[in-house]
Amino acid sequence: MFPIRRMIFAAVLLNAAATAVAAEVTVDKDPPKRAQAQFFERVQAGDLADAIARRGEPVEVKPGQYHLRVPCDSMKPGSFVDIMVTIDDHSKTRLRLEECGVQVDSRPD
């Protein structure tokens, strides 16, 4: 009887792990107006770095909060702003990186 319970428990754990990556993020391809060269390459995105590298394509990520450091050269060359972005579970989120900020458009999946 115990092996059957273990298999059911393992199946439940695998199902929970599979649904944990249930959000989709797309980063707009267009650089911000008046942005300096290599704007996207200078964004420090941590776990969202893959979405920025593959901008224009949907990328699956885990729901949660993400920290971004976005270039803000208009205030002072070489400066950055820290931004927290929340990605909701079962959502499709579009990020438009702007100089000194980010525009977030999120909708349920």
Side-chain angles (χ1 to χ4, degrees), residues 7-82:
M7 287 191 326
I8 292 172
F9 183 68
V12 169
L13 284 178
L14 285 173
N15 188 31
T19 58
V21 178
E24 184 179 282
V25 172
T26 305
V27 176
D28 277 355
K29 294 190 277 189
D30 300 326
K33 293 178 180 165
R34 299 184 305 269
Q36 291 195 3
Q38 298 183 322
F39 174 82
F40 289 113
E41 289 77 11
R42 296 186 305 136
V43 173
Q44 299 168 16
D47 292 335
L48 290 180
D50 188 43
I52 291 174
R54 295 174 48 193
R55 54 193 172 272
E57 300 175 28
V59 175
E60 287 191 352
V61 299
K62 290 181 182 178
Q65 287 194 334
Y66 292 89
H67 176 249
L68 300 173
R69 286 183 50 85
V70 179
C72 190
D73 295 313
S74 62
M75 291 179 65
K76 179 182 174 187
S79 66
F80 290 83
V81 293
D82 293 310

Side-chain angles (χ1 to χ4, degrees), residues 22-26 45 48 61-68 82-95 102-108:
E24 184 179 282
V25 172
T26 305
L48 290 180
V61 299
K62 290 181 182 178
Q65 287 194 334
Y66 292 89
H67 176 249
L68 300 173
D82 293 310
I83 299 171
M84 291 296 289
V85 175
T86 301
I87 307 296
D88 295 326
D89 193 19
H90 299 291
S91 68
K92 291 188 177 185
T93 303
R94 186 165 203 82
L95 301 178
V102 62
Q103 179 182 352
V104 180
D105 178 27
S106 186
R107 58 186 166 88

